[in-house]
Amino acid sequence: YTDKMVFTLTDVKDDACQIEACSQSQVFSIFDMGTNYCNLKMLFCGSKDGCKPVLHYFDTRHECTIRSSMASVDLPKCLVV
């Protein structure tokens, strides 16, 4: 499977940036089980979200997620091992 991911990082003040991102399957995928959401979220998921950062910790203050079709945006499902 191939997913197209686009990121825009904007400096909003000295200690913060805004992350805008989109991930979209490049094949027909109605029930992606949140794969695209998880792919993006895992790049900046912090300990506050229940994640274990590998190198850098990002403190997130707000998230606005718009799902498409029947996609899932369920973070706990992303963290299941």
Side-chain angles (χ1 to χ4, degrees), residues 21-33:
C22 178
S23 179
Q24 184 177 39
S25 294
Q26 299 302 292
V27 295
F28 185 70
S29 176
I30 293 177
F31 298 105
D32 80 340
M33 305 301 291

Side-chain angles (χ1 to χ4, degrees), residues 18-80:
Q18 177 176 314
I19 302 171
E20 295 177 88
C22 178
S23 179
Q24 184 177 39
S25 294
Q26 299 302 292
V27 295
F28 185 70
S29 176
I30 293 177
F31 298 105
D32 80 340
M33 305 301 291
T35 300
N36 289 299
Y37 171 75
C38 293
N39 286 345
L40 292 174
K41 185 67 177 177
M42 291 301 103
L43 294 174
F44 63 92
C45 186
S47 55
K48 183 175 80 174
D49 298 312
C51 299
K52 296 178 183 174
V54 175
L55 185 57
H56 298 287
Y57 173 78
F58 294 93
D59 181 25
T60 57
R61 294 182 181 97
H62 175 72
E63 179 178 324
C64 176
T65 304
I66 301 169
R67 67 180 185 90
S68 62
S69 188
M70 311 236 352
S72 171
V73 291
D74 188 359
L75 179 59
K77 289 184 179 177
C78 299
L79 302 176
V80 173

